[in-house]
Amino acid sequence: MELEAKAPPPTLIGRLTQAVLVLGALYSLYLVLHPFTPLARQEIPILDIVQLQRSTHVLFLLLGGFLVAYTLPERKRTLGAWVYFLLTLIPLYHLLFPPPTGTPLPGSVKAVGLLYWAVAALPALLPRLFRASNLLALPLALLPTLYQLRYFEELVYRAVLPEPWDVGMSFGLIMLVLGVVYRLLGPVMPVLILFFFAYNLYADRFPGAFQGTPQPLDLLLGKTFNETEAGIYGLITGVSAKYLVYFTLLSGMIAALGLGKVVANMALALVGKHPATPGRVTGIASVFMGMFSGSGAADTQFVAALTKPLYERAGYDRLIAAGLVATAGTIALITPPVLGSIAFIMVEVLQISLLKVIVMAIGPALLYLTTVLAFNEFYARKAGLQAVAPELGMSRRAYALRYSFIFLPILLIVAMLYLGYEVRTAASLALVLFVALAYLDPTLRPKGIAPVFQGLAEGFRTLLPIGTAVTAANLIFANMVISGLPSKFSQLLQQVSGESLLLATLITAVFSLVLGMGVPPTATYVLTSALTAPAIIGLAAKNFAAEGLGQEAAQQAALLATHMFLFYYAVLADVTPPVALSAYAAASVFGTNPLQTGIYAARVALSKYLVGFFFLLAYSGTALLVLPVLETAPPEKAWSLILWRFLAVGLGVVYLSASGAGYTRRVLARWEAWALGVLAFLLFVPHLYLNLAAFLLGLLFFRKGRA
């Protein structure tokens, strides 16, 4: 669950928490400046070596995470807590009783490992140890980082044959990561990590295609701690240190300076007096907030609080209102330029620029927004709601003109990315520009500089659940690489699907949605991309080549479309019941049942579950992502495909929204709503004549009749 951004109480722990969060933020911001300072010539390892920068970043995540967890309610002893605890016993047993062929461990290493295990795992069954264990974790978190700093050069050469204390420090670090993720996000993700550890240890006992060669614990721990890009401080953890922290700091600063209200009011200024005004504001405000934050649940809560009075004045059904807000809030995860953590993992994995991911995300984001707005328009007319207007204290036009400068930092980010600057440089300069704009405008100027430090602290605090989840995802990735599981799973997927791209895509979508019920979108994407992407890329490339595309172009289009498909479905998990963080956030504001809110959120934007399929099923379907066809087809063909697909799918979204609301220009009978839904589905299918026929038949349902 997202952590609420609250200032810590004025106690010793509160002040220590604030100091750690601010230091973590300043360290990240300094890394942007470091190459241009005199210290750059001093060759300071934690400032110059990427691996040690990531190690220091993880240290701040652990320190901040355990300090914040100290102030949270104790987690109850649940079934998930029992499973988590029992699975931690497997690596602990292998540490305390290593095989004769393994690295011999002295009693001191085993004792330290046991202490780390106790801090991470015992509070799951003994909640009264929760607060004390969080404090004890602080000095323990320092040891692996200091050890990494002292022996970094030697560690690189002994990943396969680790020394005893390499094993001890690796075990301790992994236990702390599991412990902090358990405290901040619950037991599901730690259980998943421990399952992959257990698989590596007992791979020979798994059936059929999943049977493999077991790996000793010392090898697993050595490669996890000592490897550069394949270990815990690898590429995925680097996403948190290189990208995410800068955007969460940007989001935290906007909140601390009070600029979020201005951004939301800009959405209010763009709509007029109408029964559909609350839903319109919800959609536009979610996009605006998504440009700055990239956090679905946080944006949902903010937009819900902003629009709740409008919904009540207009007379919306509370569940419909909560469903609209929950669905719209999730758009933050696919709204450029910030997007979410998945986008930056794609950048690193595919070795492409963030600008390319932004271009590919624009189409799905616009279709997602269209879904929300279309359902809202049909519902408002069907329900005969009361017209309402936002209150801004001045004319809408005057407000929009007066505060339009608030989007300058976003334009700066896009311009700098286009010019080839690093993402973190662009985000850091945008943060500085936000601060400057706030202090230069007399109506926005904060009192003193305390809000700046508060913004840094809250920005890093927001990072904690995301950053620790990303680090944990790197552990999953590292264990899968060691086991060779991705290739086995990919082969199995091809066999089960019978070489059918449609079936493979359907299985992957369901797998992603189910997996996303328990783990954050980042982990969902990492798992699905590692396990299913190779099979889907191969099948899609074969299909695209059969349509007349060259082999290399087909492979490139399939690669981009597959990863965007996995990105899209990992995001949908955030709003898919029963575990939907955005639904919980909206329900907390509107006072509705979270499960019912999730169901209504799914109903509001039913087409969001269908659009992603058609990224892949035909080459023309990739036109919804723009970039795959622009890179692999002549410009005239590419743009005709793009216009056709967006027009057809956009109409399909409108038809399906009308079907869900049961209204067009009149109330639809049940059979009419179902028939219009079928025609909407046919508009999603990339077939020109089928689209044209479905469109013309659908127009019949938009004839006026009795209300």
Side-chain angles (χ1 to χ4, degrees):
M1 212 171 186
E2 297 283 339
L3 301 178
E4 294 181 10
K6 294 180 180 177
T11 61
L12 177 61
I13 296 297
R15 288 192 292 270
L16 179 60
T17 303
Q18 189 82 352
V20 167
L21 296 177
V22 171
L23 282 174
L26 291 175
Y27 172 74
S28 297
L29 290 173
Y30 175 76
L31 290 179
V32 180
L33 290 175
H34 177 65
F36 311 103
T37 66
L39 287 179
R41 294 191 293 271
Q42 303 302 315
E43 297 184 359
I44 302 172
I46 62 169
L47 300 177
D48 294 315
I49 299 176
V50 171
Q51 198 77 357
L52 296 178
Q53 290 176 5
R54 295 174 184 174
S55 172
T56 307
H57 177 75
V58 171
L59 172 63
F60 279 116
L61 291 177
L62 291 174
L63 295 176
F66 282 111
L67 283 167
V68 167
Y70 181 86
T71 65
L72 297 176
E74 295 175 357
R75 283 197 173 271
K76 295 179 181 179
R77 191 165 48 229
T78 61
L79 176 62
W82 271 101
V83 175
Y84 163 62
F85 175 82
L86 292 174
L87 284 175
T88 61
L89 296 177
I90 296 175
L92 178 66
Y93 172 80
H94 282 261
L95 180 82
L96 298 180
F97 305 102
T101 55
T103 302
L105 302 178
S108 56
V109 172
K110 294 179 181 180
V112 169
L114 188 61
L115 178 61
Y116 276 105
W117 170 84
V119 166
L122 280 182
L125 293 192
L126 302 172
R128 64 178 180 273
L129 298 178
F130 185 76
R131 300 198 187 286
S133 67
N134 288 329
L135 295 181
L136 182 55
L138 302 179
L140 291 179
L142 291 168
L143 298 180
T145 304
L146 294 174
Y147 188 83
Q148 180 90 206
L149 179 61
R150 169 64 181 83
Y151 296 106
F152 174 72
E153 291 186 8
E154 295 96 314
L155 287 173
V156 173
Y157 298 103
R158 57 189 196 219
V160 179
L161 297 171
E163 296 289 330
W165 278 108
D166 299 354
V167 173
M169 289 296 98
S170 179
F171 182 84
L173 178 64
I174 291 168
M175 284 294 123
L176 289 182
V177 170
L178 293 174
V180 79
V181 172
Y182 170 77
R183 286 157 170 81
L184 300 182
L185 295 169
V188 176
M189 195 162 183
V191 164
L192 200 58
I193 296 167
L194 289 164
F195 169 78
F196 282 106
F197 261 101
Y199 176 80
N200 272 301
L201 292 168
Y202 299 104
D204 58 332
R205 302 187 186 184
F206 279 75
F210 292 107
Q211 192 174 67
T213 305
Q215 307 291 340
L217 184 68
D218 58 346
L219 175 68
L220 294 178
L221 295 178
K223 290 181 76 65
T224 300
F225 190 63
N226 299 2
E227 286 273 12
T228 50
E229 287 303 315
I232 191 171
Y233 300 129
L235 177 146
I236 299 174
T237 299
V239 166
S240 179
K242 189 177 177 182
Y243 302 112
L244 298 184
V245 61
Y246 298 98
F247 287 106
T248 59
L249 291 179
L250 189 66
S251 176
M253 191 63 70
I254 290 168
L257 295 175
L259 300 179
K261 183 69 174 175
V262 179
V263 175
N265 283 345
M266 289 295 290
L268 290 170
L270 292 177
V271 299
K273 186 175 182 179
H274 193 275
T277 288
R280 292 175 180 177
V281 172
T282 295
I284 297 170
S286 297
V287 170
F288 284 172
M289 293 305 298
M291 290 180 180
F292 301 94
S293 90
S295 171
D299 282 0
T300 298
Q301 195 138 21
F302 179 83
V303 173
L306 170 79
T307 57
K308 184 184 177 185
L310 285 174
Y311 280 111
E312 291 175 341
R313 282 165 49 201
Y316 274 71
D317 178 276
R318 278 196 310 160
L319 277 169
I320 292 288
L324 277 166
V325 174
T327 299
T330 313
I331 204 172
L333 296 167
I334 54 172
T335 302
V338 174
L339 298 166
S341 54
I342 299 174
F344 300 111
I345 294 175
M346 282 181 62
V347 167
E348 293 296 310
V349 170
L350 302 183
Q351 289 296 295
I352 59 176
S353 72
L354 179 61
L355 206 56
K356 287 190 174 184
V357 180
I358 287 173
V359 170
M360 289 192 289
I362 289 173
L366 288 175
L367 292 170
Y368 198 113
L369 177 63
T370 303
T371 300
V372 174
L373 295 179
F375 181 92
N376 174 66
E377 296 294 323
F378 291 123
Y379 169 78
R381 285 168 169 77
K382 180 183 180 181
L385 302 177
Q386 183 178 338
V388 294
E391 299 170 1
L392 296 169
M394 63 177 76
S395 73
R396 294 188 294 119
R397 179 185 175 87
Y399 193 95
L401 292 173
R402 172 69 178 79
Y403 292 105
S404 57
F405 65 82
I406 205 72
F407 293 101
L408 286 176
I410 293 299
L411 295 177
L412 175 66
I413 291 175
V414 175
M416 291 188 68
L417 292 179
Y418 179 76
L419 294 172
Y421 286 91
E422 282 193 345
V423 173
R424 62 181 183 177
T425 303
S428 299
L429 286 178
L431 185 149
V432 173
L433 182 55
F434 267 121
V435 173
L437 292 173
Y439 278 93
L440 288 172
D441 191 311
T443 64
L444 303 176
R445 187 175 299 137
K447 294 180 180 179
I449 62 167
V452 174
F453 288 100
Q454 186 65 25
L456 294 174
E458 296 306 338
F460 203 84
R461 179 189 172 95
T462 303
L463 176 71
L464 295 177
I466 307 168
T468 52
V470 168
T471 305
N474 209 135
L475 276 174
I476 295 173
F477 183 74
N479 272 276
M480 286 196 296
V481 169
I482 293 170
S483 67
L485 191 59
S487 61
K488 297 174 185 176
F489 193 94
S490 185
Q491 289 170 10
L492 182 66
L493 179 61
Q494 284 183 311
Q495 291 172 4
V496 171
S497 65
E499 298 288 319
S500 166
L501 179 59
L502 174 61
L503 190 55
T505 304
L506 180 62
I507 292 170
T508 301
V510 173
F511 175 57
S512 181
L513 291 175
V514 171
L515 188 64
M517 291 176 184
V519 298
T522 305
T524 302
Y525 171 77
V526 168
L527 270 169
T528 53
S529 63
L531 295 175
T532 67
I536 294 179
I537 291 169
L539 293 174
K542 191 183 296 182
N543 277 21
F544 296 170
E547 293 181 44
L549 207 61
Q551 192 60 46
E552 188 176 336
Q555 188 72 21
Q556 177 67 7
L559 176 72
L560 295 176
T562 298
H563 280 272
M564 282 303 294
F565 165 78
L566 297 173
F567 176 8
Y568 187 80
Y569 273 89
V571 167
L572 290 187
D574 209 39
V575 74
T576 301
V579 183
L581 292 183
S582 293
Y584 275 84
S588 69
V589 175
F590 284 93
T592 54
N593 178 284
L595 181 58
Q596 286 183 302
T597 302
I599 293 169
Y600 271 79
R603 175 190 162 192
V604 161
L606 187 60
S607 58
K608 68 178 181 274
Y609 294 102
L610 300 174
V611 168
F613 276 106
F614 299 98
F615 295 168
L616 274 171
L617 297 186
Y619 172 66
S620 57
T622 67
L624 293 174
L625 303 171
V626 179
L627 197 64
V629 294
L630 282 182
E631 288 191 342
T632 57
E636 62 280 0
K637 180 184 177 183
W639 284 112
S640 63
L641 282 177
I642 291 167
L643 292 174
W644 161 44
R645 290 312 303 143
F646 271 101
L647 181 60
V649 174
L651 288 168
V653 163
V654 172
Y655 279 15
L656 196 57
S657 296
S659 171
Y663 187 86
T664 51
R665 299 170 72 191
R666 58 187 171 84
V667 176
L668 297 176
R670 185 179 293 273
W671 75 266
E672 289 179 306
W674 276 98
L676 190 57
V678 171
L679 293 174
F681 180 81
L682 296 179
L683 279 164
F684 293 137
V685 177
H687 190 288
L688 180 59
Y689 296 114
L690 197 61
N691 296 159
L692 185 59
F695 166 63
L696 294 174
L697 287 172
L699 290 178
L700 298 175
F701 295 97
F702 283 79
R703 291 180 301 171
K704 277 191 175 181
R706 287 188 304 168

